Short mmCIF file of all heavy atoms in Angstrom, two decimals:
data_model
loop_
_atom_site.label_atom_id
_atom_site.label_comp_id
_atom_site.label_asym_id
_atom_site.label_seq_id
_atom_site.Cartn_x
_atom_site.Cartn_y
_atom_site.Cartn_z
N GLN A 1 130.95 81.43 29.69
CA GLN A 1 130.46 81.74 31.03
C GLN A 1 128.96 81.89 31.05
O GLN A 1 128.29 81.51 32.02
CB GLN A 1 131.14 83.01 31.57
CG GLN A 1 132.58 82.81 31.94
CD GLN A 1 133.19 84.03 32.61
OE1 GLN A 1 132.62 85.12 32.47
NE2 GLN A 1 134.28 83.85 33.24
N GLN A 2 128.38 82.44 29.97
CA GLN A 2 126.94 82.57 29.90
C GLN A 2 126.26 81.20 29.93
O GLN A 2 125.18 81.05 30.45
CB GLN A 2 126.53 83.35 28.66
CG GLN A 2 126.85 84.84 28.73
CD GLN A 2 126.56 85.56 27.45
OE1 GLN A 2 126.09 84.97 26.49
NE2 GLN A 2 126.83 86.85 27.41
N GLN A 3 126.97 80.19 29.36
CA GLN A 3 126.42 78.87 29.36
C GLN A 3 126.60 78.18 30.72
O GLN A 3 126.00 77.14 30.98
CB GLN A 3 127.11 78.02 28.27
CG GLN A 3 126.84 78.53 26.87
CD GLN A 3 127.60 77.72 25.83
OE1 GLN A 3 128.30 76.75 26.15
NE2 GLN A 3 127.50 78.12 24.57
N GLN A 4 127.46 78.74 31.57
CA GLN A 4 127.74 78.13 32.85
C GLN A 4 127.38 79.10 34.01
O GLN A 4 128.06 79.14 35.00
CB GLN A 4 129.21 77.74 32.95
CG GLN A 4 129.63 76.74 31.89
CD GLN A 4 131.09 76.36 32.01
OE1 GLN A 4 131.82 76.96 32.76
NE2 GLN A 4 131.48 75.37 31.25
N GLN A 5 126.31 79.84 33.84
CA GLN A 5 125.96 80.84 34.83
C GLN A 5 125.64 80.22 36.19
O GLN A 5 125.74 80.85 37.22
CB GLN A 5 124.76 81.65 34.33
CG GLN A 5 125.08 82.62 33.20
CD GLN A 5 123.85 83.39 32.74
OE1 GLN A 5 122.77 83.18 33.25
NE2 GLN A 5 124.06 84.27 31.81
N GLN A 6 125.23 78.95 36.17
CA GLN A 6 124.86 78.31 37.43
C GLN A 6 126.08 77.94 38.26
O GLN A 6 125.97 77.75 39.46
CB GLN A 6 124.02 77.06 37.15
CG GLN A 6 122.74 77.31 36.38
CD GLN A 6 121.77 78.17 37.13
OE1 GLN A 6 121.89 79.39 37.18
NE2 GLN A 6 120.78 77.55 37.73
N HIS A 7 127.25 77.82 37.62
CA HIS A 7 128.47 77.46 38.36
C HIS A 7 129.03 78.71 39.04
O HIS A 7 129.13 79.77 38.44
CB HIS A 7 129.52 76.87 37.41
CG HIS A 7 130.76 76.45 38.14
ND1 HIS A 7 131.85 77.29 38.26
CD2 HIS A 7 131.05 75.31 38.79
CE1 HIS A 7 132.79 76.63 38.95
NE2 HIS A 7 132.32 75.45 39.30
N THR A 8 129.32 78.60 40.32
CA THR A 8 129.83 79.73 41.09
C THR A 8 131.00 79.28 41.95
O THR A 8 131.26 78.10 42.13
CB THR A 8 128.73 80.30 42.02
OG1 THR A 8 128.30 79.28 42.90
CG2 THR A 8 127.55 80.84 41.24
N TRP A 9 131.69 80.29 42.48
CA TRP A 9 132.80 80.06 43.45
C TRP A 9 132.43 80.79 44.72
O TRP A 9 132.00 81.93 44.71
CB TRP A 9 134.11 80.57 42.88
CG TRP A 9 134.56 79.87 41.65
CD1 TRP A 9 134.37 80.28 40.36
CD2 TRP A 9 135.27 78.63 41.56
NE1 TRP A 9 134.92 79.38 39.48
CE2 TRP A 9 135.47 78.35 40.20
CE3 TRP A 9 135.74 77.75 42.52
CZ2 TRP A 9 136.13 77.22 39.76
CZ3 TRP A 9 136.41 76.60 42.08
CH2 TRP A 9 136.59 76.35 40.73
N LEU A 10 132.62 80.09 45.84
CA LEU A 10 132.30 80.64 47.14
C LEU A 10 133.54 80.76 47.99
O LEU A 10 134.36 79.84 48.08
CB LEU A 10 131.25 79.79 47.88
CG LEU A 10 129.94 79.53 47.17
CD1 LEU A 10 129.04 78.64 48.02
CD2 LEU A 10 129.24 80.84 46.83
N LEU A 11 133.67 81.90 48.67
CA LEU A 11 134.75 82.14 49.62
C LEU A 11 134.21 82.08 51.04
O LEU A 11 133.29 82.82 51.37
CB LEU A 11 135.38 83.51 49.37
CG LEU A 11 136.45 83.96 50.37
CD1 LEU A 11 137.69 83.10 50.29
CD2 LEU A 11 136.80 85.44 50.13
N GLU A 12 134.78 81.18 51.85
CA GLU A 12 134.38 81.13 53.25
C GLU A 12 134.91 82.37 53.96
O GLU A 12 136.06 82.74 53.83
CB GLU A 12 134.90 79.87 53.92
CG GLU A 12 134.42 79.72 55.36
CD GLU A 12 134.89 78.45 56.01
OE1 GLU A 12 135.15 77.46 55.31
OE2 GLU A 12 135.02 78.44 57.25
N ILE A 13 134.01 83.06 54.70
CA ILE A 13 134.36 84.30 55.37
C ILE A 13 133.91 84.26 56.82
O ILE A 13 133.09 83.42 57.21
CB ILE A 13 133.67 85.51 54.66
CG1 ILE A 13 132.15 85.35 54.70
CG2 ILE A 13 134.18 85.66 53.23
CD1 ILE A 13 131.37 86.54 54.17
N PRO A 14 134.40 85.18 57.67
CA PRO A 14 133.88 85.29 59.01
C PRO A 14 132.43 85.74 59.00
O PRO A 14 131.93 86.22 57.94
CB PRO A 14 134.78 86.33 59.68
CG PRO A 14 135.98 86.42 58.80
CD PRO A 14 135.54 86.12 57.42
N GLN A 15 131.74 85.60 60.10
CA GLN A 15 130.34 86.10 60.17
C GLN A 15 130.35 87.57 59.82
O GLN A 15 131.10 88.37 60.41
CB GLN A 15 129.79 85.89 61.57
CG GLN A 15 128.37 86.44 61.71
CD GLN A 15 127.77 86.07 63.07
OE1 GLN A 15 127.97 84.99 63.59
NE2 GLN A 15 127.01 86.99 63.64
N PRO A 16 129.53 88.00 58.85
CA PRO A 16 129.50 89.41 58.45
C PRO A 16 129.24 90.32 59.62
O PRO A 16 128.41 90.03 60.49
CB PRO A 16 128.36 89.48 57.42
CG PRO A 16 128.32 88.08 56.84
CD PRO A 16 128.65 87.18 57.99
N ALA A 17 129.96 91.45 59.66
CA ALA A 17 129.87 92.37 60.79
C ALA A 17 128.47 93.00 60.93
O ALA A 17 128.07 93.38 62.04
CB ALA A 17 130.91 93.48 60.64
N ASP A 18 127.74 93.08 59.82
CA ASP A 18 126.41 93.73 59.88
C ASP A 18 125.29 92.73 60.17
O ASP A 18 124.13 93.09 60.09
CB ASP A 18 126.12 94.51 58.59
CG ASP A 18 126.15 93.61 57.37
OD1 ASP A 18 126.52 92.43 57.50
OD2 ASP A 18 125.79 94.09 56.28
N PHE A 19 125.65 91.48 60.48
CA PHE A 19 124.64 90.49 60.80
C PHE A 19 124.86 89.93 62.19
O PHE A 19 125.95 89.51 62.55
CB PHE A 19 124.65 89.33 59.79
CG PHE A 19 123.79 88.19 60.23
CD1 PHE A 19 122.41 88.28 60.17
CD2 PHE A 19 124.35 87.03 60.75
CE1 PHE A 19 121.59 87.21 60.60
CE2 PHE A 19 123.56 85.98 61.19
CZ PHE A 19 122.18 86.06 61.11
N TRP A 20 123.79 89.93 62.96
CA TRP A 20 123.81 89.21 64.25
C TRP A 20 122.35 88.89 64.55
O TRP A 20 121.42 89.49 64.02
CB TRP A 20 124.48 90.01 65.35
CG TRP A 20 123.73 91.20 65.87
CD1 TRP A 20 123.06 91.31 67.04
CD2 TRP A 20 123.61 92.48 65.22
NE1 TRP A 20 122.53 92.58 67.19
CE2 TRP A 20 122.84 93.31 66.09
CE3 TRP A 20 124.07 92.99 64.03
CZ2 TRP A 20 122.53 94.60 65.76
CZ3 TRP A 20 123.74 94.29 63.68
CH2 TRP A 20 123.00 95.11 64.58
N CYS A 21 122.16 87.92 65.43
CA CYS A 21 120.79 87.47 65.74
C CYS A 21 120.51 87.66 67.21
O CYS A 21 121.26 87.16 68.07
CB CYS A 21 120.67 86.00 65.34
SG CYS A 21 118.97 85.35 65.49
N GLY A 22 119.48 88.40 67.50
CA GLY A 22 119.04 88.59 68.89
C GLY A 22 118.03 87.52 69.27
O GLY A 22 117.65 86.67 68.47
N GLY A 23 117.60 87.57 70.51
CA GLY A 23 116.59 86.61 70.98
C GLY A 23 115.37 87.31 71.54
O GLY A 23 115.45 88.45 72.01
N GLU A 24 114.22 86.62 71.47
CA GLU A 24 113.02 87.13 72.09
C GLU A 24 112.14 85.96 72.51
O GLU A 24 112.31 84.85 71.97
CB GLU A 24 112.23 88.09 71.17
CG GLU A 24 111.87 87.57 69.83
CD GLU A 24 111.15 88.65 69.03
OE1 GLU A 24 110.01 89.04 69.43
OE2 GLU A 24 111.69 89.13 68.04
N PRO A 25 111.27 86.14 73.49
CA PRO A 25 110.48 85.04 74.01
C PRO A 25 109.52 84.46 72.97
O PRO A 25 108.98 85.18 72.15
CB PRO A 25 109.70 85.66 75.17
CG PRO A 25 110.43 86.94 75.49
CD PRO A 25 111.03 87.42 74.22
N TYR A 26 109.33 83.16 73.07
CA TYR A 26 108.36 82.46 72.20
C TYR A 26 107.01 82.52 72.89
O TYR A 26 106.84 82.08 74.05
CB TYR A 26 108.81 81.02 72.02
CG TYR A 26 107.74 80.10 71.52
CD1 TYR A 26 107.17 80.24 70.26
CD2 TYR A 26 107.26 79.03 72.31
CE1 TYR A 26 106.18 79.41 69.79
CE2 TYR A 26 106.30 78.16 71.85
CZ TYR A 26 105.73 78.36 70.60
OH TYR A 26 104.75 77.51 70.14
#
């Protein structure tokens, strides 16, 4: 595993509850 540290597994999840994006004028 130390030789393959770059290989990872990802789990698709819903949008995290603590993240959301607001808007503001440009």
Side-chain angles (χ1 to χ4, degrees):
Q1 287 186 343
Q2 287 175 2
Q3 296 176 4
Q4 299 180 352
Q5 288 180 358
Q6 301 295 80
H7 183 266
T8 59
W9 297 95
L10 302 179
L11 173 66
E12 184 177 334
I13 60 173
Q15 179 173 321
D18 59 353
F19 170 74
W20 71 105
C21 187
E24 56 181 292
Y26 163 65

